[in-house]
Amino acid sequence: MTVAPHFSHRNDTLHAEQVPLTQLAQEFGTPLYVYSRQALRDAWENYRTATEGRNALVCFGMKANSNLSVLREFMELGAGFDIVSGGELARVLAIGGDAGKVVFSGVGKQEWELRAALEAGVKCFNVESEAELEELARVAADMGKVAPVSLRVNPDVDAHTHPYISTGLKENKFGIDINTALSVYARAAALDSLKVVGVDCHIGSQITEVDPYLDALDKLCHLIHALQDSGIRLHHLDLGGGIGIRYTDETPLLPVDLVSRVFETLERNKLGHLQLVLEPGRSLVGNAGVLLTSVVYLKHAEAKNFAIVDAAMNDLIRPTLYDAWHDVEAVQPADPDTPPQSYDIVGPICESGDWLARNRTLALRQGDLLAIMSAGAYAFTMASQYNTRPRPAEIMVDGDSYRVVRPRESLQSLFAPELEALQGRT
Ligand SMILES: *Cc1c(COP(=O)(O)O)cnc(C)c1O
């Protein structure tokens, strides 16, 4: 019973592929992020088959998990990348990624980031405001380049997801109001240092229904026709990411269902010539990872039982930030003499918001090993060093072998630059 098929119980012990998680905990300590290479490949395969024979490009929304080994895996499988910062661009370039398959999203691109992306030659800038459009035009002109642009429009559709991960409503900071997009496109087309190549939207995250996408697509089709009438022809249509995964009992939307409905709609609207770009993040990595943690103490207070574990909100902020659910699985069978009780799984951080799961019925003892499931997306990438906690190691399992894809941070490394500053050496 697991949300992630590559993490399953064999001989009573939870494994990542063929490797017992007990072995990894013993060798590398906890907390520990463990990824399954096969899970990455399977998730990619869903998109590959969905887009097979179509004019489509799948750009991994890499803020979900930007470990270089994860990026390299997707690059080798043929992915492009959706980046949201100059830092993410640097990661793509560090693995020898093709900038021609990179789309650059984000509301606050700074000059140095625009320059780096122009220098690298990204496929497209997904421009989110008129001010950004003017700045991009200025920077590109200054560099003697022509910037490929797409406007990220806000289609004002409700993705039926958590308010913090909903991005396609009028009141969100993202994108350009679809009703003013025509005039902004006209402005873009008039600027010599810009080349209009596409249109883009990204309506939210953890979306489990196809309808919000189709609502957005309808609006985009209208816009594209209006653009054609005014002489602006696009090359691609980017529907963003946002496809949900199974955290507990959700029935996720399948890429093949989304893609086939999208192409049907495009063809019906005589827009079958457009390249489809997708930017999935979570759905490529979310269930390819777990966060392993050990029970440090059990605490039975009057109102609640607490299992205090060695992972915390700094390692996985989704529960407290989004009120998100992550399944929690015992790695080994419960001791028959330990009765199951309802626990809040909490970390050692000095914040009441430091919880990972609430009201979970588990038979726990001190020292037990737990797996926080679905921790492949927005886990390590959102991790911090709050409370001077080194970020955990990341391990990639591949069949019966495994390797460290990022070592655990040392305590010393957390404050070495401060120590140098203190000693007046810099
Ligand atoms: C975060 C983000 C994505 C990826 O979203 P998922 O929900 O992880 O698929 C794609 N595009 C943009 C612009 C984003 O900000």
Side-chain angles (χ1 to χ4, degrees):
M1 257 205 338
T2 165
V3 292
H6 294 288
F7 296 87
S8 62
H9 286 272
R10 301 170 180 222
N11 311 320
D12 282 348
T13 298
L14 190 61
H15 283 55
E17 301 189 22
Q18 288 149 50
V19 178
L21 292 176
T22 42
Q23 184 181 334
L24 297 178
Q26 208 160 38
E27 187 168 342
F28 302 107
T30 56
L32 188 70
Y33 301 96
V34 180
Y35 306 132
S36 153
R37 182 178 185 208
Q38 192 57 46
L40 299 176
R41 301 175 74 91
D42 285 2
W44 175 260
E45 183 65 11
N46 289 335
Y47 282 94
R48 192 194 65 76
T49 52
T51 54
E52 199 166 20
R54 313 263 200 194
N55 183 10
L57 176 66
V58 178
C59 293
F60 172 43
M62 63 178 276
K63 72 178 186 289
N65 187 325
S66 55
N67 183 285
L68 297 189
S69 294
V70 171
L71 300 185
R72 171 69 74 93
E73 188 68 43
F74 287 130
M75 179 184 95
E76 284 170 359
L77 291 168
F81 297 100
D82 168 49
I83 63 168
V84 293
S85 71
E88 288 189 346
L89 175 63
R91 284 182 179 268
V92 172
L93 299 178
I95 60 161
D98 176 3
K101 286 183 170 181
V102 168
V103 296
F104 191 177
S105 306
V107 291
K109 304 178 192 79
Q110 299 162 50
E111 180 172 350
W112 73 269
E113 295 174 302
L114 297 174
R115 280 187 187 276
L118 282 163
E119 199 54 60
V122 297
K123 173 182 171 68
C124 187
F125 290 85
N126 291 341
V127 172
E128 303 216 18
S129 65
E130 293 183 64
E132 181 191 336
L133 191 77
E134 299 296 335
E135 176 68 354
L136 177 58
R138 183 187 70 77
V139 174
D142 185 55
M143 294 173 71
K145 301 217 182 237
V146 176
V149 298
S150 171
L151 295 190
R152 174 169 177 180
V153 299
N154 184 331
D156 192 28
V157 299
D158 188 352
H160 303 140
T161 186
H162 188 279
Y164 283 12
I165 52 176
S166 175
T167 54
L169 282 168
K170 267 202 177 95
E171 52 267 37
N172 298 129
K173 70 177 176 182
F174 299 100
I176 294 168
D177 184 341
I178 194 158
N179 300 310
T180 62
L182 259 186
S183 67
V184 185
Y185 267 109
R187 172 70 183 148
L191 291 164
D192 288 340
S193 59
L194 301 182
K195 178 174 166 47
V196 172
V197 294
V199 64
D200 158 56
C201 73
H202 170 72
I203 56 176
S205 202
Q206 187 54 19
I207 300 168
T208 51
E209 309 158 55
V210 75
D211 289 346
Y213 286 102
L214 298 180
D215 292 349
L217 181 58
D218 269 342
K219 295 189 176 186
L220 291 183
C221 286
H222 275 111
L223 173 63
I224 296 167
H225 282 298
L227 287 170
Q228 283 180 357
D229 293 344
S230 68
I232 298 175
R233 287 184 67 82
L234 305 184
H235 169 260
H236 74 252
L237 166 107
D238 181 343
L239 272 184
I243 293 164
I245 62 165
R246 177 165 228 175
Y247 282 101
T248 170
D249 56 2
E250 300 90 338
T251 313
L253 172 63
L254 297 175
V256 64
D257 292 337
L258 174 63
V259 169
S260 59
R261 296 289 294 277
V262 167
F263 275 101
E264 263 169 42
T265 308
L266 289 178
E267 275 147 29
R268 198 171 57 241
N269 283 279
K270 304 199 163 38
L271 295 172
H273 61 282
L274 290 175
Q275 180 189 41
L276 176 67
V277 177
L278 293 174
E279 304 169 349
R282 187 190 314 270
S283 52
L284 283 172
V285 290
N287 274 325
V290 302
L291 174 59
L292 263 190
T293 184
S294 305
V295 175
V296 183
Y297 297 114
L298 296 176
K299 181 166 166 176
H300 303 280
E302 197 177 304
K304 283 255 177 195
N305 299 309
F306 296 100
I308 301 161
V309 298
D310 60 5
M313 64 185 282
N314 72 300
D315 306 306
L316 181 66
I317 204 172
R318 297 190 68 261
T320 193
L321 184 60
Y322 310 123
D323 204 17
W325 174 285
H326 285 258
D327 273 359
V328 177
E329 291 200 30
V331 171
Q332 292 194 286
D335 163 45
D337 298 329
T338 307
Q341 299 186 62
S342 176
Y343 283 100
D344 280 10
I345 316 292
V346 303
I349 287 185
C350 302
E351 296 280 348
S352 297
D354 182 22
W355 58 275
L356 298 171
R358 286 173 159 164
N359 302 318
R360 305 301 172 87
T361 303
L362 293 159
L364 295 179
R365 287 170 308 175
Q366 204 167 308
D368 278 359
L369 201 54
L370 298 175
I372 316 285
M373 307 303 292
S374 313
Y378 305 107
F380 182 87
T381 51
M382 295 179 98
S384 78
Q385 298 154 327
Y386 188 36
N387 279 208
T388 306
R389 289 168 49 86
R391 286 178 295 179
E394 296 173 282
I395 307 295
M396 181 75 72
V397 170
D398 183 9
D400 59 4
S401 68
Y402 51 86
R403 64 194 180 89
V404 179
V405 292
R406 190 178 199 276
R408 185 179 304 280
E409 290 175 342
S410 69
L411 268 183
Q412 167 65 23
S413 75
L414 298 196
F415 55 77
E418 294 161 52
L419 196 56
E420 270 188 42
L422 186 66
Q423 293 166 343
R425 277 198 260 134
T426 55

